[in-house]
Amino acid sequence: MRLVFAGTPEPAVPSLRALLASEEHEVVAVVTRPDAQAGRGRRVVRSPIGALADEHGIEVLTPPKASDPAFLARLAELAPDACPVVAYGALLPQAALDIPVHGWVNLHFSLLPAWRGAAPVQAAIRAGDEITGASTFRIVKELDAGPVYGVITEQIAAGDTAGELLGRLAESGAKLLVSTMDGIADGTLRAVEQTGDGVSYAPKVTVEDARVSFADPAAAVDRQIRAVSPEPGAWAEFRGERLKLGAVTVVDEPGPPPGELVVERKRVLVGTASKPVRLGEVQAQGKKRMAATDWARGTRIEQGERLQ
């Protein structure tokens, strides 16, 4: 099939690579978010998908909006049979959805209808799910509600961060997306409508969502930190400044009140609503990331001080 691939960030790269390697399909163009400023120097850079397309000499379309008339006209000229999508990051109007013969087929990193929305991996970890996965479905107007072509499952390990889990799903999901394109092309695959049961939503994670509440039980604190790692990164407030938090370990012993710090020679504990957690690495404002014990020694924490 003739394909126009839509995607933007790094997790979309394995899918585009897999489709480029397929002998059954031809990627004639990619659609990605416009070049944006990044890094300390605020240089304008191509998205990971745009950069990969450039390497392969593939046309790159970067409409400010998918409703842009010039983009819609070019998409119609390309006459794609289908448009596979992985984390494109923009809404698609009906005018765009109607152009490819087989529609736009999205790879979504959850077991639909669970965790529709922008941050399904983060939501699954934070909720304490044991199993997640990825789904391919045909995009319709309603958010992530289209009929499903196929699914894969993935176990969530006890220490998984969102970044680690998403990395695995990006690789296994790429295979699912290619097999979905194969099945659509040869007519052996039919999409099945989603049920109305088990629908849940995973909105985009904000910086404020990443602020850790030590008033929650230790297990919830651990899940919250892993769910927002590496982006946007967990944090709490200490002495009026933001302190970034790395992974923590739940300690099976009594602890101080929620948020209160206990500094020992080889560990730094923080109280929660249940058991304490042991801090791993932290990063104070304007400082490098370091072991919590080194930070505590340099900071000279007083008895009774808390992470807010």
Side-chain angles (χ1 to χ4, degrees):
M1 291 194 299
R2 285 174 60 83
L3 305 178
V4 172
F5 181 89
T8 298
E10 194 64 37
V13 168
S15 287
L16 179 55
R17 287 193 188 279
L19 289 168
L20 289 171
S22 171
E23 297 180 356
E24 305 299 323
H25 311 288
E26 178 189 10
V27 180
V28 296
V30 304
V31 185
T32 191
R33 299 295 294 149
D35 299 352
Q37 292 181 334
R40 290 187 176 181
R42 308 307 293 165
R43 294 185 302 110
V44 176
V45 297
R46 198 71 128 170
S47 74
I49 285 298
L52 179 58
D54 289 340
E55 290 177 18
H56 288 264
I58 298 171
E59 181 178 355
V60 178
L61 306 175
T62 58
K65 293 184 178 180
S67 58
D68 179 68
F71 164 68
L72 294 174
R74 180 56 185 150
L75 186 63
E77 289 175 356
L78 290 166
D81 296 306
C83 293
V85 186
V86 186
Y88 170 45
L91 294 175
L92 297 166
Q94 193 63 48
L97 297 179
D98 291 340
I99 290 174
V101 176
H102 296 289
W104 295 64
V105 180
N106 192 28
L107 171 65
H108 183 75
F109 299 117
S110 82
L111 298 176
L112 292 171
W115 304 128
R116 296 175 180 176
V121 173
Q122 294 92 328
I125 291 177
R126 190 162 186 171
D129 293 353
E130 295 181 352
I131 300 291
T132 187
S135 309
T136 50
F137 70 97
R138 182 162 179 161
I139 294 178
V140 296
K141 188 173 182 180
E142 186 180 351
L143 177 67
D144 297 338
V148 173
Y149 286 104
V151 299
I152 55 166
T153 59
E154 178 78 29
Q155 185 169 357
I156 302 177
D160 268 342
T161 64
E164 292 165 344
L165 180 55
L166 182 56
R168 297 202 305 274
L169 289 171
E171 295 293 339
S172 56
K175 298 175 183 177
L176 173 63
L177 184 60
V178 172
S179 66
T180 298
M181 292 294 106
D182 293 345
I184 292 173
D186 63 24
T188 60
L189 191 60
R190 295 288 183 270
V192 177
E193 295 292 338
Q194 295 184 41
T195 67
D197 298 328
V199 175
S200 53
Y201 292 94
K204 182 179 179 180
V205 177
T206 67
V207 171
E208 191 58 35
D209 293 330
R211 182 172 187 166
V212 178
S213 170
F214 290 99
D216 293 334
V221 169
D222 170 52
R223 293 197 305 266
Q224 181 186 5
I225 291 173
R226 290 189 289 111
V228 298
S229 298
E231 295 293 338
W235 63 280
E237 191 174 290
F238 180 72
R239 294 179 182 171
E241 294 186 343
R242 187 173 297 181
L243 180 72
K244 293 183 179 180
L245 305 173
V248 299
T249 304
V250 178
V251 180
D252 190 14
E253 62 185 58
E260 187 171 311
L261 290 156
V262 173
V263 179
E264 300 175 354
R265 192 168 69 88
K266 292 186 177 181
R267 63 180 189 174
V268 179
L269 303 181
V270 188
T272 74
S274 58
K275 302 170 184 178
V277 295
R278 178 178 178 175
L279 296 181
E281 289 188 327
V282 301
Q283 185 176 5
Q285 198 165 310
K287 304 288 186 180
K288 294 182 179 180
R289 184 174 286 263
M290 66 182 71
T293 49
D294 294 335
W295 166 74
R297 278 193 292 269
T299 306
R300 296 182 180 179
I301 296 169
E302 298 178 4
Q303 185 175 355
E305 284 196 285
R306 296 171 179 258
L307 295 182
Q308 302 292 338

